[in-house]
Amino acid sequence: MPVSIGLLEKCPSSKLQSSFFPSKVGGKPAWLSLNPLPSYSDLVCAQCKKVTIFLCQVYAPFEHTPCEQLQLDENFHRTIFVFVCRNSACSSPDIKVFRSALPRANDFYPFIPVEEAISSADVCNLCGISAHQRCGQCKKVIYCCKEHQVIDWKSSHKQQCKLGVNSETSGEFLFSEWELLNDFESNEDEHKNEITVKDINVGSLADVSESDLEPFATKTSDKTFSKFKKKIASDPYQVIRYERGGQPLLIAENPIPSHIPNCEYCGCTRLFEFQIMPQMLYELNEKHLDWGVLLIYTCKDSCKGDSINSYKKEFVFRQDVAE
């Protein structure tokens, strides 16, 4: 199977709601199911104790699988969510990954999909995660923590509170929102200029000079990094590489994921599913975060654990640039 790559394209937020089962980057998460959502404590950075911010989600239902039919049915709808700490003062930003799956017959969507939004949930007005603290004045707007209430009050809610309006303005607090489009990886011998992204004006790794790219390599003769550059040359705008059960495309010889922990819910081994590329940071104009590649590993059986309507923690390996 060819590698599937993800490209960013602007899209109205109305088309990125949960009922469309989107793959998306930035904005607020379009939760697959609502009961229960990951808790506030699940999403707090282990280093700085700030809430991690939604980065992206990939809709990845089982289409072809060696697993039993039961596992296929339970993963008819399936989405992987990634959150990152965006606190510029954090010395070791945390990354969180959650997997959620639903059978075709479920409590949130009709058996035959229609373009209808799922019922509203108690989520933070600023960041979109599970929340339980209401504004003390209007009693209608909800927040996950005091910090997010203060930020939202200063940016927009102060003007709307008396009217009881649930404003959606988040300013620069969240990552900019994009649709994540899927395509197949081009052949390495295809000319890189044949791949374009419509309606956006962005740079790519192909536009960066060798001197700017050199810090990504462990040394100038790093064969791993040379292979990385060659592999992405025909698709320089890719922000995601998806190949469930395949092999990640490493950016450096070290560090490498020497031990992938088994699924904490069923004990099954985890498989590589997809990776987030450094191009993601460029596309989002992100100036504080930095990574080489983020490698996402998920339960081989995509188990349901104790509940098919919950979010399961998965494993991420961050391969940073090396000196």
Side-chain angles (χ1 to χ4, degrees), residues 290-307:
D290 187 24
W291 61 66
V293 289
L294 302 180
L295 312 180
I296 311 299
Y297 294 80
T298 60
C299 174
K300 179 181 178 180
D301 288 343
S302 196
C303 69
K304 70 175 185 178
D306 57 356
S307 171

PDB file of all heavy atoms in Angstrom, residues 290-307:
ATOM      1  N   ASP A 290       9.198  23.142  18.444  1.00  0.00           N
ATOM      2  CA  ASP A 290      10.194  22.618  17.511  1.00  0.00           C
ATOM      3  C   ASP A 290      10.243  21.102  17.653  1.00  0.00           C
ATOM      4  O   ASP A 290      10.192  20.577  18.770  1.00  0.00           O
ATOM      5  CB  ASP A 290      11.571  23.217  17.812  1.00  0.00           C
ATOM      6  CG  ASP A 290      12.596  22.827  16.762  1.00  0.00           C
ATOM      7  OD1 ASP A 290      12.194  22.506  15.630  1.00  0.00           O
ATOM      8  OD2 ASP A 290      13.807  22.832  17.071  1.00  0.00           O
ATOM      9  N   TRP A 291      10.252  20.393  16.547  1.00  0.00           N
ATOM     10  CA  TRP A 291      10.473  18.955  16.561  1.00  0.00           C
ATOM     11  C   TRP A 291      11.029  18.522  15.212  1.00  0.00           C
ATOM     12  O   TRP A 291      10.944  19.248  14.216  1.00  0.00           O
ATOM     13  CB  TRP A 291       9.181  18.188  16.863  1.00  0.00           C
ATOM     14  CG  TRP A 291       8.049  18.376  15.890  1.00  0.00           C
ATOM     15  CD1 TRP A 291       8.007  17.976  14.576  1.00  0.00           C
ATOM     16  CD2 TRP A 291       6.796  19.016  16.141  1.00  0.00           C
ATOM     17  NE1 TRP A 291       6.805  18.318  14.000  1.00  0.00           N
ATOM     18  CE2 TRP A 291       6.035  18.953  14.941  1.00  0.00           C
ATOM     19  CE3 TRP A 291       6.220  19.613  17.267  1.00  0.00           C
ATOM     20  CZ2 TRP A 291       4.757  19.487  14.837  1.00  0.00           C
ATOM     21  CZ3 TRP A 291       4.950  20.135  17.164  1.00  0.00           C
ATOM     22  CH2 TRP A 291       4.233  20.069  15.966  1.00  0.00           C
ATOM     23  N   GLY A 292      11.627  17.338  15.192  1.00  0.00           N
ATOM     24  CA  GLY A 292      12.039  16.749  13.934  1.00  0.00           C
ATOM     25  C   GLY A 292      10.829  16.079  13.312  1.00  0.00           C
ATOM     26  O   GLY A 292      10.247  16.573  12.357  1.00  0.00           O
ATOM     27  N   VAL A 293      10.407  14.939  13.901  1.00  0.00           N
ATOM     28  CA  VAL A 293       9.159  14.273  13.520  1.00  0.00           C
ATOM     29  C   VAL A 293       8.493  13.753  14.786  1.00  0.00           C
ATOM     30  O   VAL A 293       9.159  13.441  15.773  1.00  0.00           O
ATOM     31  CB  VAL A 293       9.397  13.103  12.524  1.00  0.00           C
ATOM     32  CG1 VAL A 293       9.803  13.621  11.163  1.00  0.00           C
ATOM     33  CG2 VAL A 293      10.430  12.116  13.064  1.00  0.00           C
ATOM     34  N   LEU A 294       7.170  13.665  14.758  1.00  0.00           N
ATOM     35  CA  LEU A 294       6.395  13.063  15.845  1.00  0.00           C
ATOM     36  C   LEU A 294       5.824  11.758  15.320  1.00  0.00           C
ATOM     37  O   LEU A 294       5.053  11.752  14.351  1.00  0.00           O
ATOM     38  CB  LEU A 294       5.259  13.990  16.301  1.00  0.00           C
ATOM     39  CG  LEU A 294       5.660  15.383  16.798  1.00  0.00           C
ATOM     40  CD1 LEU A 294       4.413  16.164  17.217  1.00  0.00           C
ATOM     41  CD2 LEU A 294       6.650  15.299  17.949  1.00  0.00           C
ATOM     42  N   LEU A 295       6.185  10.645  15.938  1.00  0.00           N
ATOM     43  CA  LEU A 295       5.773   9.319  15.485  1.00  0.00           C
ATOM     44  C   LEU A 295       4.657   8.807  16.387  1.00  0.00           C
ATOM     45  O   LEU A 295       4.832   8.700  17.602  1.00  0.00           O
ATOM     46  CB  LEU A 295       6.953   8.355  15.517  1.00  0.00           C
ATOM     47  CG  LEU A 295       8.259   8.854  14.874  1.00  0.00           C
ATOM     48  CD1 LEU A 295       9.342   7.789  14.993  1.00  0.00           C
ATOM     49  CD2 LEU A 295       8.045   9.252  13.421  1.00  0.00           C
ATOM     50  N   ILE A 296       3.513   8.476  15.796  1.00  0.00           N
ATOM     51  CA  ILE A 296       2.329   8.057  16.543  1.00  0.00           C
ATOM     52  C   ILE A 296       2.161   6.540  16.414  1.00  0.00           C
ATOM     53  O   ILE A 296       2.076   6.005  15.308  1.00  0.00           O
ATOM     54  CB  ILE A 296       1.060   8.762  16.022  1.00  0.00           C
ATOM     55  CG1 ILE A 296       1.287  10.281  15.906  1.00  0.00           C
ATOM     56  CG2 ILE A 296      -0.128   8.435  16.931  1.00  0.00           C
ATOM     57  CD1 ILE A 296       1.616  10.974  17.203  1.00  0.00           C
ATOM     58  N   TYR A 297       2.091   5.857  17.568  1.00  0.00           N
ATOM     59  CA  TYR A 297       1.893   4.414  17.624  1.00  0.00           C
ATOM     60  C   TYR A 297       0.577   4.120  18.340  1.00  0.00           C
ATOM     61  O   TYR A 297       0.292   4.693  19.395  1.00  0.00           O
ATOM     62  CB  TYR A 297       3.043   3.733  18.365  1.00  0.00           C
ATOM     63  CG  TYR A 297       4.370   3.821  17.653  1.00  0.00           C
ATOM     64  CD1 TYR A 297       5.151   4.972  17.728  1.00  0.00           C
ATOM     65  CD2 TYR A 297       4.854   2.748  16.897  1.00  0.00           C
ATOM     66  CE1 TYR A 297       6.379   5.060  17.079  1.00  0.00           C
ATOM     67  CE2 TYR A 297       6.073   2.824  16.241  1.00  0.00           C
ATOM     68  CZ  TYR A 297       6.835   3.982  16.336  1.00  0.00           C
ATOM     69  OH  TYR A 297       8.048   4.063  15.687  1.00  0.00           O
ATOM     70  N   THR A 298      -0.221   3.199  17.784  1.00  0.00           N
ATOM     71  CA  THR A 298      -1.529   2.880  18.356  1.00  0.00           C
ATOM     72  C   THR A 298      -1.703   1.372  18.521  1.00  0.00           C
ATOM     73  O   THR A 298      -1.008   0.575  17.884  1.00  0.00           O
ATOM     74  CB  THR A 298      -2.667   3.425  17.469  1.00  0.00           C
ATOM     75  OG1 THR A 298      -2.574   2.820  16.170  1.00  0.00           O
ATOM     76  CG2 THR A 298      -2.585   4.932  17.331  1.00  0.00           C
ATOM     77  N   CYS A 299      -2.648   0.998  19.353  1.00  0.00           N
ATOM     78  CA  CYS A 299      -2.948  -0.412  19.629  1.00  0.00           C
ATOM     79  C   CYS A 299      -3.185  -1.186  18.333  1.00  0.00           C
ATOM     80  O   CYS A 299      -3.962  -0.752  17.477  1.00  0.00           O
ATOM     81  CB  CYS A 299      -4.181  -0.496  20.531  1.00  0.00           C
ATOM     82  SG  CYS A 299      -4.776  -2.170  20.838  1.00  0.00           S
ATOM     83  N   LYS A 300      -2.517  -2.322  18.188  1.00  0.00           N
ATOM     84  CA  LYS A 300      -2.633  -3.129  16.973  1.00  0.00           C
ATOM     85  C   LYS A 300      -4.069  -3.520  16.685  1.00  0.00           C
ATOM     86  O   LYS A 300      -4.510  -3.513  15.534  1.00  0.00           O
ATOM     87  CB  LYS A 300      -1.766  -4.385  17.113  1.00  0.00           C
ATOM     88  CG  LYS A 300      -1.811  -5.318  15.921  1.00  0.00           C
ATOM     89  CD  LYS A 300      -0.938  -6.544  16.154  1.00  0.00           C
ATOM     90  CE  LYS A 300      -1.021  -7.504  14.976  1.00  0.00           C
ATOM     91  NZ  LYS A 300      -0.167  -8.713  15.210  1.00  0.00           N
ATOM     92  N   ASP A 301      -4.828  -3.852  17.740  1.00  0.00           N
ATOM     93  CA  ASP A 301      -6.221  -4.267  17.564  1.00  0.00           C
ATOM     94  C   ASP A 301      -7.197  -3.110  17.693  1.00  0.00           C
ATOM     95  O   ASP A 301      -8.405  -3.301  17.557  1.00  0.00           O
ATOM     96  CB  ASP A 301      -6.583  -5.343  18.595  1.00  0.00           C
ATOM     97  CG  ASP A 301      -5.924  -6.679  18.291  1.00  0.00           C
ATOM     98  OD1 ASP A 301      -5.459  -6.867  17.150  1.00  0.00           O
ATOM     99  OD2 ASP A 301      -5.868  -7.533  19.196  1.00  0.00           O
ATOM    100  N   SER A 302      -6.686  -1.909  17.971  1.00  0.00           N
ATOM    101  CA  SER A 302      -7.555  -0.754  18.222  1.00  0.00           C
ATOM    102  C   SER A 302      -8.682  -1.157  19.173  1.00  0.00           C
ATOM    103  O   SER A 302      -9.869  -1.010  18.878  1.00  0.00           O
ATOM    104  CB  SER A 302      -8.132  -0.208  16.914  1.00  0.00           C
ATOM    105  OG  SER A 302      -8.653   1.093  17.085  1.00  0.00           O
ATOM    106  N   CYS A 303      -8.294  -1.670  20.337  1.00  0.00           N
ATOM    107  CA  CYS A 303      -9.226  -2.276  21.282  1.00  0.00           C
ATOM    108  C   CYS A 303     -10.236  -1.265  21.819  1.00  0.00           C
ATOM    109  O   CYS A 303      -9.991  -0.056  21.833  1.00  0.00           O
ATOM    110  CB  CYS A 303      -8.460  -2.893  22.452  1.00  0.00           C
ATOM    111  SG  CYS A 303      -7.665  -1.678  23.531  1.00  0.00           S
ATOM    112  N   LYS A 304     -11.363  -1.767  22.272  1.00  0.00           N
ATOM    113  CA  LYS A 304     -12.369  -0.896  22.858  1.00  0.00           C
ATOM    114  C   LYS A 304     -12.173  -0.712  24.350  1.00  0.00           C
ATOM    115  O   LYS A 304     -12.817   0.149  24.956  1.00  0.00           O
ATOM    116  CB  LYS A 304     -13.777  -1.432  22.591  1.00  0.00           C
ATOM    117  CG  LYS A 304     -14.119  -2.710  23.348  1.00  0.00           C
ATOM    118  CD  LYS A 304     -15.570  -3.102  23.113  1.00  0.00           C
ATOM    119  CE  LYS A 304     -15.968  -4.304  23.948  1.00  0.00           C
ATOM    120  NZ  LYS A 304     -17.385  -4.653  23.764  1.00  0.00           N
ATOM    121  N   GLY A 305     -11.300  -1.502  24.976  1.00  0.00           N
ATOM    122  CA  GLY A 305     -11.072  -1.367  26.402  1.00  0.00           C
ATOM    123  C   GLY A 305     -12.343  -1.606  27.189  1.00  0.00           C
ATOM    124  O   GLY A 305     -13.131  -2.494  26.869  1.00  0.00           O
ATOM    125  N   ASP A 306     -12.593  -0.760  28.185  1.00  0.00           N
ATOM    126  CA  ASP A 306     -13.788  -0.933  29.011  1.00  0.00           C
ATOM    127  C   ASP A 306     -14.997  -0.220  28.442  1.00  0.00           C
ATOM    128  O   ASP A 306     -16.099  -0.361  28.951  1.00  0.00           O
ATOM    129  CB  ASP A 306     -13.519  -0.445  30.444  1.00  0.00           C
ATOM    130  CG  ASP A 306     -13.072   1.003  30.486  1.00  0.00           C
ATOM    131  OD1 ASP A 306     -12.906   1.595  29.407  1.00  0.00           O
ATOM    132  OD2 ASP A 306     -12.870   1.534  31.587  1.00  0.00           O
ATOM    133  N   SER A 307     -14.807   0.595  27.375  1.00  0.00           N
ATOM    134  CA  SER A 307     -15.935   1.324  26.800  1.00  0.00           C
ATOM    135  C   SER A 307     -15.600   1.744  25.382  1.00  0.00           C
ATOM    136  O   SER A 307     -14.524   2.282  25.133  1.00  0.00           O
ATOM    137  CB  SER A 307     -16.266   2.564  27.638  1.00  0.00           C
ATOM    138  OG  SER A 307     -17.218   3.372  26.969  1.00  0.00           O
TER     139      SER A 307
END
